[in-house]
Amino acid sequence: MPVYEFRCPACGEITSIVARMSEAGGTCVCAHCGATAERIISRTSVHLSRASKLERLDPKYDRMVDQAMTSTRHAEPDRLLKKMKPLSGDD
Ligand SMILES: [Zn+2]
């Protein structure tokens, strides 16, 4: 459910309420002083899946990740291959 924010004209505090879209009105009771607070436009809170987040990334980040991976010694595949031991089973 979305979070709605209301600003109190009396004390200036913001009260946040989680409600269904159909239940959110234009006013609420201020949690700080009890006056009538009016709804304000607030930042939205949307939960995205990891795939959606990756799809929304700017392509410039792909290049940044590629550059970082090629410039670090940890990205060198031979480094890990040299550490590996053959699976002979003799020892
Ligand atoms: Zn208030």
Side-chain angles (χ1 to χ4, degrees):
M1 281 189 280
V3 176
Y4 295 94
E5 291 183 317
F6 299 82
R7 176 172 286 125
C8 176
C11 71
E13 293 289 332
I14 292 176
T15 301
S16 299
I17 292 178
V18 178
R20 289 194 173 92
M21 281 189 198
S22 57
E23 294 174 346
T27 60
C28 80
V29 176
C30 174
H32 306 276
C33 74
T36 301
E38 295 175 359
R39 192 165 145 194
I40 58 175
I41 303 297
S42 56
R43 290 172 286 169
T44 57
S45 173
V46 178
H47 294 278
L48 298 173
S49 70
R50 184 175 298 247
S52 297
K53 288 177 184 174
L54 290 173
E55 284 174 8
R56 287 167 175 241
L57 278 180
D58 192 291
K60 73 180 177 186
Y61 294 115
D62 289 343
R63 289 193 295 274
M64 288 169 67
V65 170
D66 288 345
Q67 278 181 343
M69 289 301 288
T70 54
S71 64
T72 176
R73 66 181 182 90
H74 298 290
E76 184 188 340
D78 290 342
R79 186 181 68 88
L80 294 174
L81 290 173
K82 286 174 196 166
K83 284 185 175 180
M84 296 174 83
K85 293 178 182 171
L87 292 172
S88 63
D90 292 337
D91 37 66

